[in-house]
Amino acid sequence: ISEVPAHTFLYRFGLTLNVHTHLYMCLIDGVMTQGPTGLVCYQVQLDDADIQRVRKAIRKQVLRLLVRCGLLTPGAADQTVSW
């Protein structure tokens, strides 16, 4: 069994207690498995194409969420997706 240790923290307010929802993530750069003598960490090898695929997927999901929440029009989302 492999695990990627990560913690996500949801913050809902800014410094002036205004609504400012955002996430903080703490993610270990590797994969941890249980070895015979304890945890073993294998470093993840990512190239630029891997990073671009993740960025594209996140951008698409965030834009879809903004449209669904009425914060962005579908036309604006279509224009923004290529940024």
Side-chain angles (χ1 to χ4, degrees), residues 5-82:
H7 295 281
T8 303
F9 305 94
L10 174 63
Y11 286 84
R12 294 187 176 146
F13 300 100
L15 291 174
T16 59
L17 296 182
N18 58 320
V19 176
H20 182 70
T21 306
H22 55 285
L23 300 172
Y24 286 102
M25 291 189 72
C26 178
L27 178 70
I28 293 180
D29 192 14
V31 176
M32 310 230 9
T33 61
Q34 183 67 44
T37 60
L39 290 177
V40 179
C41 183
Y42 300 95
Q43 185 176 359
V44 175
Q45 301 295 323
L46 299 174
D47 60 17
D48 287 340
D50 295 324
I51 294 169
Q52 289 303 321
R53 274 194 302 277
V54 171
R55 289 177 71 188
K56 183 178 180 180
I58 291 171
R59 182 183 309 119
K60 184 178 177 181
Q61 291 175 12
V62 168
L63 289 172
R64 194 175 342 168
L65 175 66
L66 292 173
V67 169
R68 193 170 55 239
C69 291
L71 300 172
L72 195 63
T73 66
D78 290 341
Q79 290 177 342
T80 308
V81 76
S82 64

